[in-house]
Amino acid sequence: MVERIEDLNLPNAVIARLIKEALPDGANVSKEARAAIARAASVFTIFVTSSSTALAHKQNHKTITAKDIMQTLTELDFESFVPSLSQDLEVYRKVVKDKKDSKASKKDASGAADVSASGSGATEEAL
């Protein structure tokens, strides 16, 4: 599973970026404070994941879904997180869908160009 408990911590670079984005310009956070925030975020993530796993297992699901996370947050009295998390999830889903649609349309356009190019070449050879 995990060799060291520190392996469960979130990446320091990600934590530093989140802290920087959350604070006003010019605000400083000590190295110890960043480490404490990183540890707290990791513990919270593990706690919510563990609770969501138990909920999914109770419902005979093998996979944790976003719905399980939202329900777990509500049951753990973190319901104030749910609206903003739901909104962020919808934005994420839209971005993923747009990327998928963009790739599919590029592939279709590329395939159509290949077919028309090969079709005109075959006609010339037949003449």
Side-chain angles (χ1 to χ4, degrees):
M1 185 145 153
V2 176
E3 292 180 24
R4 300 175 308 149
I5 194 72
E6 293 83 22
D7 293 341
L8 296 174
N9 287 346
L10 297 171
N12 289 334
V14 172
I15 297 299
R17 182 172 36 102
L18 291 172
I19 292 170
K20 183 178 178 182
E21 290 173 3
L23 295 177
D25 290 339
N28 293 319
V29 178
S30 71
K31 187 175 180 179
E32 294 83 17
R34 280 195 309 266
I37 292 168
R39 182 70 181 138
S42 298
V43 169
F44 179 76
T45 302
I46 292 166
F47 177 58
V48 171
T49 302
S50 175
S51 299
S52 297
T53 300
L55 177 67
H57 183 69
K58 196 166 36 173
Q59 296 173 350
N60 294 323
H61 297 153
K62 293 183 179 181
T63 304
I64 299 172
T65 64
K67 182 180 175 184
D68 295 326
I69 299 292
M70 303 299 183
Q71 187 175 348
T72 298
L73 288 170
T74 300
E75 289 177 5
L76 296 174
D77 293 330
F78 291 105
E79 62 270 350
S80 63
F81 292 8
V82 173
S84 61
L85 188 56
S86 296
Q87 185 179 12
D88 291 342
L89 180 61
E90 288 305 315
V91 169
Y92 170 77
R93 286 177 174 163
K94 185 181 182 326
V95 167
V96 169
K97 183 181 183 301
D98 291 347
K99 282 183 180 179
K100 184 178 178 182
D101 292 345
S102 175
K103 284 183 181 180
S105 65
K106 285 181 183 178
K107 186 176 181 181
D108 290 344
S110 172
D114 291 343
V115 169
S116 86
S118 65
S120 63
T123 306
E124 290 174 6
E125 288 176 10
L127 294 175

